Amino acid sequence: GIKLIVRNIPFEASEREVRDLFRNYAQLKRVRLPKRFDGRHRGFGFIEFLTRQEARTAKESLEHTHLYGRHLVLE
């Protein structure tokens, strides 16, 4: 599809940092990091791309990426 689930996002990473990381590889339609009751994100997010090919390119390019020392898991 055109949406990736990103797991294992470090809690100290902001939505902007996640958006900037993926923006380097494809045009983004939407980035959503679900929040906990205290306002911090829950450690996973949804990245939506304009095309299936862009989603595939981003996944292949970033599947071995670490952010703040944590390996991002892309599905």
Side-chain angles (χ1 to χ4, degrees):
I2 59 172
K3 190 181 288 188
L4 290 179
I5 299 172
V6 183
R7 300 186 192 280
N8 206 29
I9 298 173
F11 294 113
E12 59 268 30
S14 69
E15 184 174 317
R16 182 184 187 106
E17 289 174 302
V18 173
R19 179 179 283 116
D20 289 344
L21 179 66
F22 282 88
R23 187 182 289 151
N24 290 326
Y25 298 95
Q27 288 187 313
L28 304 179
K29 185 174 181 182
R30 184 170 169 204
V31 175
R32 190 168 69 83
L33 303 182
K35 305 273 192 248
R36 298 190 307 199
F37 64 91
D38 63 1
R40 294 175 48 192
H41 68 78
R42 297 175 59 194
F44 67 92
F46 304 96
I47 315 291
E48 194 171 344
F49 299 90
L50 293 177
T51 67
R52 179 172 286 161
Q53 181 58 43
E54 287 181 325
R56 186 177 302 121
T57 299
K59 183 178 189 293
E60 291 169 358
S61 300
L62 294 169
E63 63 187 349
H64 300 293
T65 298
H66 287 75
L67 186 60
Y68 289 102
R70 294 186 73 168
H71 177 256
L72 298 179
V73 178
L74 306 176
E75 298 173 5

